[in-house]
Amino acid sequence: MTRPGETQPTEESLTGLFQEEWPRLVSAGLRITGDLQAAEDVVQETLLTALDRWPLQGIPDSPGAWLMTACRNRARNAARDAGRERRALTSVQPAGAAQEPPDPDPAVIEDDQMRLIALCCHPALGTDAQIALTLRMVGGLSTEEIARGFHQPVTAIAQRIVRAKRTLRQHQAGLSDAGADLAGRLPAVLDVVYLIFNEGYLATGGQALTRGELAFEAYRLACLLTRLAPGLPEPWALLGLLSFQLSRWVTRTGPDGAILTLDAQDRARWNAGLIADGTAALGRARGHGQRGPLLLQAELAACHATAPTFEQTDWAAIVILYDELARIQDTPVVSLNRAVAVAMRDGPAAGIALLDPLTREPVLAGSHRVWAVRADLHRRAGDHARAADDYDRALHLVTNDAERRYLAAARSSLPHDQARQSGKD
Amino acid sequence: MSEFLLLAIRPPSRGEVSPAGVARDLAAAAAWQEWLRRWGLLRSFGLPDGPAGGVRACLIVRASSPAAAGQLAAGWTGVSGCPVTVTELCAATAAGQGGSR
């Protein structure tokens, strides 16, 4: 035990401890109480007890074990109280029916965490609800933190979580059925984690390009998934993908918050440790012989992360990977990214030819991205009038302020006469 | 110097708890209580075994006056977010005595 007066743990180390223990405690509480809200309540009470005791008594030698014991005791009390209430209401509960579950071994606790994640991604919940519930129950983020991450009102997120819990209760969803359908829910779980990451990596709204808390929370969840399901390739592929993306985190914007594209980033500042982690995770994912969408996206990210310079990027390999990805996930977004790679390999005209039909895709036409990409290719092809048109469309649709500033700067850097000519069209 | 009992009562609704929030509060509380110890102001403490009328913890502290004890109570409220009551226990405790549990 860390005695009072000895070197105290830092806020950072305590945050890491509580974040790591949170899903373990929620799933342990859920196994005993059978109710997500009751489980969340006992975990909150447990942490508050630690908050009261640890500063005075010192940090226990095994803080995780201390928290688990305290949580399970509280959960048992809560379950007993709830059982007494039910018996008082019905008076038909046979004596001795409320048996306490035995203490689970560590493997069961780990399995229960995985089941908890699967429960949060129950098919009866919409994607928004799955994301909010996962961040609260697995990530331990407060409603306010989630709302801040997604630039939404706290009340909206709170209602989403309350409704999600109610839906799970109505479906009598628990750890057991989540465990039974673990493999079936894994794609939804991975999707949710990747969506959280994407929102953090490239915010859809707000002033900043990124929201670190969401991106790093998703990375933490991906790490957790690889620990809980080390034999499955997809979590490793996701971890590889996120590691490569995060390796560029600090170089994606300049000191003034302006976007720096890949060719303008200082590769010496990319995080070599994360690139090494990503390469190792990718190796684990490759070992299974299946090449799913996440693995291919991780391979694509690896091409960028391991290229010594922008000019030395292997665009031919990237096009081949996009071809492979399009065969199993033929979406407009994949086509858009493939068009960029083709433009880099064969020149802007080849990319523009692929982009033209994509501007009519309903999924893309309402987003600024396809117009921003085509504007850039027109600019590089020397067609500044068309570039100006497309920048204008992109600027009309973009919702992130950092991206808007980037597009506006690109638009204003076009040769003046031709851009103005476009304005008259 | 006199001894005072500081009693922290959990507010009826603390709101939602998150790992990061608890870690921040715990680090602040540990630092504050360490400060009390370093200056020899913390004589003793008590913690309830279970829910005890919302009591979180009580401290017996040394202070030169009720006003000084009130300042310590305000400091505890600042790091815990809990209302803290102050009760004077006895006067004229010799300086330098005790200082631990």
Side-chain angles (χ1 to χ4, degrees):
Chain A
M1 178 177 281
T2 307
R3 299 282 167 204
E6 293 176 14
T7 305
Q8 295 295 324
T10 61
E11 180 183 334
E12 191 182 1
S13 68
L14 287 167
T15 301
L17 166 73
F18 289 139
Q19 281 178 335
E20 190 172 334
E21 295 302 327
W22 178 276
R24 288 198 182 109
L25 300 175
V26 172
S27 49
L30 179 58
R31 182 156 285 282
I32 294 170
T33 63
D35 181 77
L36 208 46
Q37 183 59 57
E40 185 186 355
D41 290 344
V42 298
V43 174
Q44 296 200 100
E45 280 298 316
T46 301
L47 261 56
L48 287 176
T49 304
L51 174 59
D52 290 345
R53 291 179 175 269
W54 291 6
L56 288 164
Q57 292 183 320
I59 309 284
D61 290 334
S62 300
W66 188 100
L67 290 168
M68 181 58 78
T69 302
C71 177
R72 289 179 58 78
N73 287 340
R74 283 188 174 277
R76 285 188 187 114
N77 290 340
R80 205 174 298 134
D81 291 347
R84 244 197 310 269
E85 252 175 51
R86 276 197 300 275
R87 279 195 296 280
L89 286 173
T90 60
S91 298
V92 292
Q93 186 85 2
Q99 286 187 348
E100 289 178 3
D103 282 354
D105 63 38
V108 172
I109 294 173
E110 295 285 287
D111 286 351
D112 276 357
Q113 282 185 87
M114 193 69 211
R115 292 189 185 102
L116 175 66
I117 300 172
L119 179 65
C120 292
C121 297
H122 192 281
L125 302 176
T127 305
D128 286 349
Q130 290 175 341
I131 289 172
L133 202 59
T134 301
L135 285 172
R136 176 64 189 145
M137 293 301 155
V138 185
L141 269 65
S142 69
T143 305
E144 196 179 329
E145 288 165 339
I146 299 168
R148 198 168 54 229
F150 286 95
H151 280 266
Q152 296 203 356
V154 174
T155 49
I157 297 294
Q159 282 172 4
R160 198 173 292 167
I161 292 174
V162 167
R163 281 197 210 107
K165 287 177 188 164
R166 195 186 305 143
T167 302
L168 292 180
R169 207 174 295 130
Q170 284 164 352
H171 282 76
Q172 296 184 316
L175 288 180
S176 303
D177 70 302
D181 190 25
L182 213 52
R185 291 191 203 168
L186 186 63
V189 170
L190 295 166
D191 276 353
V192 162
V193 175
Y194 195 26
L195 281 170
I196 293 168
F197 178 81
N198 279 338
E199 185 57 33
Y201 195 69
L202 186 58
T204 49
Q207 294 205 334
L209 179 70
T210 58
R211 292 176 203 156
E213 69 273 33
L214 286 183
F216 284 93
E217 183 56 34
Y219 175 74
R220 217 172 56 77
L221 290 172
C223 291
L224 178 64
L225 289 176
T226 58
R227 214 177 61 232
L228 298 176
L232 297 176
E234 291 90 347
W236 288 107
L238 178 64
L239 181 61
L241 172 58
L242 303 197
S243 300
F244 289 130
Q245 304 279 55
L246 281 178
S247 70
R248 297 195 291 274
W249 185 262
V250 297
T251 61
R252 293 174 66 229
T253 51
D256 54 353
I259 292 176
L260 295 176
T261 47
L262 266 178
D263 54 325
Q265 292 177 17
D266 178 3
R267 290 177 185 234
R269 292 178 62 220
W270 286 2
N271 188 318
L274 278 171
I275 293 173
D277 289 350
T279 304
L282 186 55
R284 294 283 298 259
R286 280 180 188 143
H288 292 77
Q290 302 162 13
R291 289 175 70 81
L294 277 176
L295 176 66
L296 292 170
Q297 288 177 78
E299 296 274 15
L300 283 160
C303 284
H304 291 296
T306 57
T309 63
F310 181 75
E311 291 72 25
Q312 289 174 276
T313 306
D314 190 350
W315 292 106
I318 289 175
V319 171
I320 290 169
L321 283 168
Y322 273 121
D323 287 341
E324 193 179 349
L325 182 58
R327 279 197 290 277
I328 53 175
Q329 197 176 66
D330 187 14
T331 66
V333 174
V334 171
S335 301
L336 172 63
N337 291 334
R338 182 180 176 278
V340 174
V342 168
M344 295 306 299
R345 185 190 63 180
D346 302 334
I352 290 168
L354 295 171
L355 283 177
D356 286 343
L358 292 177
T359 59
R360 293 185 289 277
E361 283 281 350
V363 176
L364 293 180
S367 152
H368 69 286
R369 215 163 301 283
V370 67
W371 306 109
V373 169
R374 200 172 71 168
D376 182 56
L377 295 186
H378 279 313
R379 181 185 60 78
R380 286 168 42 204
D383 190 344
H384 297 129
R386 285 200 170 90
D389 275 349
D390 282 349
Y391 276 129
D392 288 341
R393 287 194 183 98
L395 280 163
H396 179 66
L397 293 166
V398 71
T399 50
N400 179 282
D401 292 343
E403 286 191 286
R404 179 178 294 110
R405 288 194 299 275
Y406 172 82
L407 291 169
R411 167 75 167 84
S412 65
S413 72
L414 292 171
H416 197 58
D417 289 346
Q418 291 184 47
R420 199 174 48 204
Q421 182 68 39
S422 155
K424 291 176 185 170
D425 288 343
Chain B
M1 295 286 270
S2 300
E3 289 188 349
F4 294 84
L5 174 71
L6 307 188
L7 195 66
I9 308 292
R10 182 166 292 170
S13 169
R14 189 192 187 275
E16 215 175 29
V17 170
S18 72
V22 172
R24 186 181 55 240
D25 292 351
L26 204 155
W32 183 76
Q33 282 160 20
E34 181 51 32
W35 176 85
L36 280 185
R37 282 193 174 90
R38 200 165 50 239
W39 289 96
L41 301 177
L42 181 62
R43 294 275 297 167
S44 180
F45 66 84
L47 290 160
D49 277 339
V55 173
R56 280 185 61 174
C58 62
L59 307 180
I60 295 178
V61 297
R62 292 147 55 96
S64 56
S65 66
Q71 286 185 348
L72 293 179
W76 197 12
T77 296
V79 296
S80 68
C82 294
V84 175
T85 62
V86 183
T87 308
E88 186 165 6
L89 294 178
C90 57
T93 303
Q97 282 183 344
S100 61
R101 292 177 65 189

